[in-house]
Amino acid sequence: MKGCDLMVEVGRRRFLGGLGVAAAGAAASAATAPQAGAAPAPALVEYPSHHLANLSQLKTDEPLAVAYPDKDAPGVLIKLGTRVPGGAGPDGDVVGYSTVCPHKGFPLAYLKEDRTLNCPGHYGRYDCEKGGQQIWGHATQNLAQYALRVDAKGDIWAEGVDELLYGRLNNVL
Amino acid sequence: MTYKRHVDRLPIIPTSAKEHNVTCHYCIVGCGYKAYTWPINQQGGVAATANKLGVDLGQQQPAETAAWYAPSMYNIVRQDGQDVHLVIKPDPDCVVNSGLGSIRGARMAENHTSLQRGTQLSRLTTPMVWRYGSMQPTDWDDALDLVARVTAAVIDEQGEDGLFVSMFDHGGSAGGYENTWGTGKLYFGAMKVKNVRIHNRPAYNSEVHATRDMGVGELNNCYEDAELADTIVAVGTNPLETQTNYFLNHWVPNLRGTSLDKKRRELPGEPVEPGRIVVVDPRRTLTVAACETEAGKDRVLHLAIEPGTDLVLFNALLTYIADKGWIDRDFIAASTVPAAQGAALMSRPGGGGPGAPDPLTDFAAAVAANRTTIEEAARITGLKPEDIVKAAQWIAEPKAGGRRRRTMIGYEKGIIWGNDNYRTNGAIVNLALATGNVGRPGGGVVRLGGHQEGYSRPSDAHVGRPAAYVDKLLIEGRGGVHHVWACDHYKTTLNAMKFKQVYKRRTDMVKDAMNTVPWGDRQAMVDAIMTAIRQGGLFSVDVDIVPTQIGQASHVWLPAAIAGEMNLTSMNGERRMRLTERYMDPPGSALPDCLIAARLAKAMERVLRERGKTAYADQFEGFDWTTEEDAFLDGYHKHEKGGEHVTYARLRAMGTNGFQEPATGVQDGRIVGTRRLYTDGRFSTKDGKARFMITPWRGLQAAGKAEQKARFAFLINNGRTNMVWQNAFMDQYSEFVMDRMPYPFIEMNPDDMKELGVAAGDLVEIHNDVGSTQAIAQPTPSAKRRQTFMLFAYPTGVQGNVINGGVNELVIPNYKQTWADIRKLAAAPEAARRLSFKSPEYRT
Ligand code: SF4
């Protein structure tokens, strides 16, 4: 079975694909020595507001690949068809998640059958209907979910993430 | 909503951070980690030159990067009295785990006490005593003085048999060579305590007597053997969840075929292919599913055996393999006892009585005595005859060119806590010896382990065999004082409901007596306690890191330290010994167990001298340790095989890879170890010859099991789950864990649930002739009808409440064979409504 090695490669390509592209709103992390007279840094990481899609693009149970907070951070938008915790939109059924497994960074795949995101690396599973709860796995956190806002025109905006994303020590690079 | 930390950045490890060697202190695997600490007012930078990771952190890191840590790997702790940042992350250079962390080990940092970040604040920080009707703080001298006076008074009246001791015997957190030696020197050196038990069973005995009696130490191979084996046989074990990174880093490559290069390199000239696996387990575990994902269904044989009948399967495999001639004749001739001697072994006096081992013998006699046909085995085990034959072929049919098949057999609690432990263990080892699969690459017949190991104690021969059934004696009212070291009988014993009833009553008698006397009048206090003890009371001293359930009954709590708060050595399942370095302070005045034992010994000595017992007091000398290293030098270094080569300095230099015990020497400052045991074909018996065992089937062996099975509808199989370490002694204070696992789960077939009117997440009561407990229902389509599986030893629903008191002839409990009825208690409680009840099984 070479399946998993291939997944590693896929993972790498997906990550590397976006490198070098300046991320919108990237905040510089504090340097080792504070500079005299520098403006004080805000306590919270400032997340960009990104337009991910319009409701009209979403079909129930068909994940739409997106990226947030920048191109190097792949994720999905899913319209579940039933109201769920953290669901956005008029029906409370639109959710967005990072698709990088918080255990070892392998790309997660959506399984329509039971609305889960699944990791080919070490068999982790996350429930899209339960706020990304890890059903089973090795990650020490549940799956990062997007804070979504849907405006009057049906445009879907991502405006925050609720867990640290795999592979970065600051969610906004 | 499911639990989220809302942490969106973490401090960066600066180049100046201190680096410490860490071995995960949870399971047997002993994964290598590194702890980094640095002053609270500093941090590293994003640039590759400004951080310890040496990479540009302004960029997204790829899968499997070493340059990332999760929020659970970070904390703020005290080090030498100062606040410091702490990161504990998996070490990519450790050969055990190659940078993998698990859901248990990768939370080590978060599972330390942090006043600043509010984690693990329930750790005990100061000695506590029963005063004015509740537990109140005091200092070490005061607490130990009371313990010593009561203990000495009890010994005066009842002898040392009046002192009951429950003490861990393992490595890892709360264990380790330092601490087993400290406690061992006190109870087996200064004293000869007989009424003693271990953390997870009601007596002081081996979990694997049989293999030892046969001359085969139970940790005889190395983790790489799982990469080299043609076939792995996993019996009563679920390694994906209980030896996680051993499975992921060493079994999976074999099943996937990515260890083929290693096979060609290490086994030149031999036909090799990707590994196959036979899993013997009544339940379709997540291990089975993962093996199918990796190896393909045609290379995985799951033998979903009738619970408790493993012995019959192994007897049948031995019979079939012997009849086919798929045995290793040269090995049998050179390394096991010859026929003439086998007969003598069988007829030696004392065979058959309680505690007497089943007969050991030679190969031919064992095959004759254990003869079991495939059909007979199929009838008893419920397996298909062709599947048993297939297992025999995978295990022993010679490879192309007549080359011997390399088979590794790993077993654990399904066997150890299963029906007829001693014989079943023997039947498994018989098969490995017959096929020459001990001491050779790709072989080994090993327990897979629970905790790490770390045992160094004076001889326990005085305990006897069978050892005292301590929990039963306590229920019968025996003993006057009970010292408990990191054991929680309330969660991890059998017949637990009865035990708790009696233990509470007996300790309450002492509490009531203590309430009548002012604390400051020591003599009056001891007199009051002794009066209560004479009336059947019990004085209980609990040494632990957190308040435990049994501790609720105790009169004294003594706060202990864990690995990382002290230097601590252990070995893992391939005998790999490492030093976890101290990287932080213990909370408050908590101490390493070895130093607590030393202080208690000194208090005993002082009190005994006061009482004029000079000769007895002299026995308590030799505890002048000021550090855990002193205990290590006094114990392991002086007493264990090869210990003279092992020092902290050398271990420190050998990092997270350490060496494999026993040490055989030192070369260029590095300890030389032993990769595999028995490579010379000489076993752990006087004559160096391994023994076979006669292992006839006798049905459900432990008292009351067959009756329980006949009377109650559901098998309550039980064991661990990936997320929770041991009895959740720390995880019960982890929000991440308790959010996901507020109550123990019980996996049930959905049709059974329908019949009982139970929905996912509903609280159910499990009840039988010995007790009752609770769990939440987890629908599990792969579960057989009427065969459930419940999380063991969980604080919010103790499975041990429904396990009867039946043990084997050597007082090994039979936790797994338990039957009970189930009924609905209540609809899903709020905490369960948040949970996902989707199948945990990975699918594509
Ligand atoms: S597999 Fe075991 S030793 Fe390794 S990190 Fe997990 S709990 Fe620790």
Side-chain angles (χ1 to χ4, degrees):
Chain A
M1 290 277 298
K2 293 204 192 78
C4 215
D5 292 335
L6 287 176
M7 292 313 296
V8 181
E9 274 319 301
V10 172
R12 283 203 180 107
R13 259 181 276 126
R14 280 181 84 162
F15 285 125
L16 292 172
L19 287 185
V21 180
S29 294
T32 317
Q35 284 172 3
L44 295 174
V45 165
E46 282 192 46
Y47 283 93
S49 179
H50 275 185
H51 178 248
L52 298 183
N54 186 277
L55 280 179
S56 61
Q57 288 170 266
L58 294 181
K59 288 200 200 96
T60 301
D61 268 341
E62 299 216 348
L64 180 76
V66 296
Y68 183 78
D70 53 67
K71 284 187 176 147
D72 293 336
V76 277
L77 277 185
I78 311 161
K79 182 175 168 56
L80 295 166
T82 41
R83 188 171 288 273
V84 293
D91 303 324
D93 67 340
V94 177
V95 289
Y97 293 103
S98 160
T99 51
V100 183
C101 181
H103 172 228
K104 279 287 160 186
F106 291 87
L108 302 173
Y110 187 68
L111 190 65
K112 221 187 233 183
E113 201 182 306
D114 66 359
R115 294 178 174 161
T116 55
L117 283 160
N118 293 269
C119 181
H122 309 93
Y123 333 115
R125 279 165 55 72
Y126 303 89
D127 192 339
C128 297
E129 296 178 290
K130 293 282 186 186
Q133 183 169 75
Q134 184 172 229
I135 300 167
W136 188 92
H138 314 284
T140 53
Q141 60 202 62
N142 294 306
L143 190 59
Q145 184 170 12
Y146 301 155
L148 297 177
R149 176 173 61 85
V150 180
D151 68 17
K153 287 181 293 187
D155 282 325
I156 306 169
W157 300 80
E159 303 190 320
V161 173
D162 60 7
E163 275 286 3
L164 190 67
L165 297 170
Y166 182 89
R168 41 180 77 193
L169 294 176
N170 190 329
N171 272 349
V172 180
L173 293 178
Chain B
M1 286 294 287
T2 196
Y3 171 73
K4 298 289 174 74
R5 289 186 186 79
H6 291 278
V7 167
D8 44 22
R9 64 177 161 188
L10 286 175
I12 294 172
I13 309 172
T15 51
S16 59
K18 283 192 247 175
E19 185 179 295
H20 318 255
N21 296 315
V22 174
T23 302
C24 174
H25 49 237
Y26 300 128
C27 88
I28 180 77
V29 181
C31 295
Y33 281 72
K34 292 277 185 184
Y36 299 91
T37 54
W38 68 96
I40 194 71
N41 59 350
Q42 293 176 20
Q43 64 178 323
V46 172
T49 50
N51 65 65
K52 189 82 175 177
L53 308 168
V55 303
D56 176 3
L57 294 173
Q59 302 199 354
Q60 170 72 39
Q61 305 302 313
E64 299 190 292
T65 182
W68 185 70
Y69 33 99
S72 65
M73 302 180 200
Y74 170 77
N75 215 337
I76 297 174
V77 299
R78 300 286 270 187
Q79 182 185 70
D80 301 327
Q82 305 293 316
D83 286 342
V84 293
H85 297 277
L86 168 72
V87 167
I88 308 180
K89 64 185 200 63
D91 182 3
D93 298 324
C94 175
V95 295
V96 173
N97 54 314
S98 306
L100 284 170
S102 77
I103 192 170
R104 302 176 299 279
R107 291 186 287 112
M108 266 186 289
E110 193 177 64
N111 259 349
H112 273 301
T113 298
S114 174
L115 291 172
Q116 292 73 8
R117 298 181 76 242
T119 56
Q120 292 292 340
L121 293 183
S122 18
R123 282 287 299 276
L124 297 174
T125 56
T126 191
M128 306 282 282
V129 292
W130 183 261
R131 199 169 64 211
Y132 319 135
S134 64
M135 294 307 280
Q136 298 293 334
T138 190
D139 59 32
W140 277 100
D141 286 342
D142 183 46
L144 289 172
D145 180 75
L146 181 69
V147 173
R149 283 180 194 282
V150 174
T151 304
V154 167
I155 292 174
D156 231 18
E157 291 187 14
Q158 303 187 17
E160 286 181 350
D161 287 355
L163 167 58
F164 277 56
V165 177
S166 301
M167 56 180 181
F168 57 82
D169 72 335
H170 53 73
S173 185
Y177 289 112
E178 295 76 8
N179 294 327
T180 55
W181 178 254
T183 46
K185 187 172 182 177
L186 175 60
Y187 297 111
F188 294 169
M191 294 182 263
K192 288 273 178 276
V193 171
K194 231 169 40 202
N195 290 322
V196 54
R197 69 161 255 171
I198 297 173
H199 66 285
N200 61 1
R201 52 194 185 273
Y204 202 87
N205 49 12
S206 167
E207 290 169 320
V208 288
H209 277 113
T211 190
R212 293 185 185 178
D213 288 350
M214 294 164 84
V216 183
E218 66 270 22
L219 298 176
N220 46 65
N221 74 355
C222 60
Y223 281 178
E224 276 186 306
D225 285 323
E227 298 175 49
L228 298 173
D230 293 304
T231 303
I232 298 174
V233 182
V235 198
T237 176
N238 177 19
L240 173 59
E241 298 195 81
T242 58
Q243 295 89 16
T244 306
N245 290 332
Y246 177 26
F247 179 82
L248 292 176
N249 202 33
H250 301 279
W251 294 31
V252 166
N254 191 0
L255 300 174
R256 236 180 230 178
T258 49
S259 67
L260 276 174
D261 282 346
K262 187 177 272 185
K263 287 186 178 183
R264 289 190 194 104
R265 216 168 42 238
E266 300 230 353
L267 314 168
E270 188 170 317
V272 291
E273 45 178 275
R276 296 169 200 255
I277 186 163
V278 180
V279 182
V280 185
D281 199 308
R283 185 169 69 116
R284 179 176 165 87
T285 57
L286 294 181
T287 296
V288 175
C291 289
E292 287 177 358
T293 299
E294 299 297 352
K297 282 194 177 178
D298 56 332
R299 300 182 80 81
V300 179
L301 178 60
H302 175 208
L303 299 178
I305 195 166
E306 174 65 22
T309 64
D310 308 68
L311 169 99
V312 182
L313 170 67
F314 279 88
N315 282 349
L317 290 170
L318 179 73
T319 305
Y320 188 87
I321 284 165
D323 288 353
K324 284 277 180 191
W326 296 342
I327 53 171
D328 190 333
R329 288 195 179 80
D330 294 345
F331 175 87
I332 292 168
S335 297
T336 68
V337 288
Q341 213 183 322
L345 278 171
M346 279 166 69
S347 58
R348 75 182 161 171
D358 288 306
L360 299 166
T361 189
D362 63 281
F363 171 68
V367 171
N370 300 340
R371 184 158 284 283
T372 306
T373 64
I374 298 286
E375 292 67 33
E376 225 177 318
R379 188 173 49 76
I380 299 172
T381 60
L383 298 170
K384 292 194 201 114
E386 61 270 28
D387 280 347
I388 303 178
V389 170
K390 195 197 241 186
Q393 289 165 336
W394 287 16
I395 289 168
E397 188 173 19
K399 300 195 277 186
R403 301 296 290 262
R404 193 180 65 85
R405 196 167 288 275
R406 297 176 186 272
T407 297
M408 172 193 136
I409 307 180
Y411 59 91
E412 191 46 39
K413 292 296 194 293
I415 296 303
I416 289 170
W417 298 153
N419 174 41
D420 217 351
N421 159 306
Y422 187 82
R423 285 187 190 184
T424 306
N425 186 197
I428 292 171
V429 179
N430 277 344
L431 188 65
L433 288 172
T435 54
N437 273 307
V438 196
R440 289 165 165 184
V445 56
V446 291
R447 72 169 295 184
L448 294 176
H451 281 84
Q452 276 162 77
E453 306 288 332
Y455 190 91
S456 178
R457 274 183 180 148
S459 166
D460 63 355
H462 65 277
V463 172
R465 181 171 155 157
Y469 188 168
V470 164
D471 289 25
K472 190 157 166 268
L473 294 175
L474 284 169
I475 288 173
E476 287 166 2
R478 305 274 287 278
V481 57
H482 187 198
H483 295 181
V484 185
W485 297 76
C487 299
D488 197 347
H489 306 231
Y490 277 31
K491 285 188 284 181
T492 51
T493 195
L494 65 179
N495 200 11
M497 220 158 168
K498 180 80 186 167
F499 181 87
K500 286 182 267 201
Q501 273 167 24
V502 175
Y503 199 83
K504 178 171 186 305
R505 181 164 42 74
R506 296 188 63 193
T507 51
D508 276 350
M509 289 169 71
V510 172
K511 284 182 177 174
D512 291 343
M514 291 174 79
N515 289 344
T516 64
V517 192
W519 181 261
D521 189 344
R522 184 56 36 104
Q523 190 53 51
M525 181 61 76
V526 173
D527 290 346
I529 293 169
M530 287 308 294
T531 303
I533 289 173
R534 279 180 216 115
Q535 290 160 0
L538 185 71
F539 184 75
S540 168
V541 181
D542 191 20
V543 188
D544 213 310
I545 58 171
V546 287
T548 60
Q549 292 197 350
I550 195 173
Q552 291 164 11
S554 297
H555 310 95
V556 177
W557 295 343
L558 301 175
I562 61 172
E565 298 163 358
M566 62 175 289
N567 295 289
L568 188 140
T569 53
S570 301
M571 75 169 192
N572 77 349
E574 55 173 351
R575 294 161 286 98
R576 190 176 293 280
M577 181 174 182
R578 274 81 46 92
L579 169 70
T580 290
E581 296 178 271
R582 174 176 164 145
Y583 49 78
M584 63 180 283
D585 302 343
S589 65
L591 289 171
D593 293 270
C594 55
L595 298 185
I596 299 174
R599 290 182 72 153
L600 179 54
K602 287 186 160 296
M604 287 291 293
E605 185 190 349
R606 177 175 50 77
V607 167
L608 290 168
R609 288 202 196 290
E610 256 177 45
R611 295 166 77 100
K613 313 248 167 196
T614 312
Y616 194 29
D618 289 347
Q619 290 175 212
F620 290 82
E621 287 177 346
F623 284 93
D624 296 314
W625 308 327
T626 50
T627 66
E628 55 272 28
E629 188 169 9
D630 294 339
F632 179 81
L633 291 172
D634 189 44
Y636 187 93
H637 180 70
K638 252 196 231 161
H639 292 91
E640 296 307 314
K641 190 173 173 196
E644 68 271 23
H645 307 299
V646 186
T647 61
Y648 272 16
R650 286 187 184 139
L651 284 172
R652 211 170 274 130
M654 296 188 72
T656 55
N657 285 326
F659 75 98
Q660 286 174 275
E661 295 185 50
T664 57
V666 179
Q667 228 167 31
D668 307 323
R670 297 185 68 77
I671 303 165
V672 181
T674 309
R675 193 177 176 203
R676 289 183 187 90
L677 301 186
Y678 312 126
T679 49
D680 60 357
R682 286 188 60 77
F683 287 86
S684 305
T685 51
K686 272 201 190 106
D687 58 10
K689 308 274 191 211
R691 277 93 166 106
F692 287 85
M693 188 181 283
I694 293 188
T695 59
W697 169 242
R698 53 177 158 175
L700 290 173
Q701 170 271 329
K705 296 293 182 186
E707 294 80 354
Q708 202 178 55
K709 183 180 183 187
R711 196 166 143 205
F712 298 98
F714 290 91
L715 172 79
I716 315 294
N717 192 359
N718 54 86
R720 289 207 263 133
T721 191
N722 200 38
M723 188 176 214
V724 180
W725 169 241
Q726 222 243 350
N727 64 26
F729 58 91
M730 297 196 90
D731 287 339
Q732 65 185 317
Y733 304 108
S734 157
E735 288 181 67
F736 173 64
V737 173
M738 293 314 284
D739 177 70
R740 183 73 186 89
M741 205 76 65
Y743 302 95
F745 60 79
I746 183 163
E747 294 177 359
M748 297 178 72
N749 179 287
D751 292 333
D752 287 338
M753 288 175 60
K754 210 182 288 164
E755 254 178 42
L756 295 171
V758 168
D762 285 357
L763 266 174
V764 296
E765 180 168 59
I766 298 108
H767 58 104
N768 64 8
D769 51 333
V770 292
S772 51
T773 189
Q774 63 173 15
I776 55 173
Q778 162 82 42
T780 305
S782 64
K784 291 189 201 161
R785 293 295 304 266
R786 311 244 182 267
Q787 292 197 2
T788 70
F789 178 88
M790 178 174 168
L791 180 59
F792 184 68
Y794 210 58
T796 49
V798 172
Q799 198 269 339
N801 284 4
V802 292
I803 301 174
N804 80 359
V807 294
N808 84 344
E809 62 274 46
L810 296 170
V811 201
I812 298 290
N814 179 195
Y815 295 135
K816 302 282 184 181
Q817 271 68 46
T818 292
W819 286 268
D821 285 337
I822 299 177
R823 62 184 158 220
K824 180 169 164 173
L825 278 179
E830 190 51 39
R833 287 172 201 269
R834 293 195 296 265
L835 304 181
S836 176
F837 289 98
K838 292 176 184 173
S839 165
E841 198 174 296
Y842 175 78
R843 278 165 298 167
T844 41

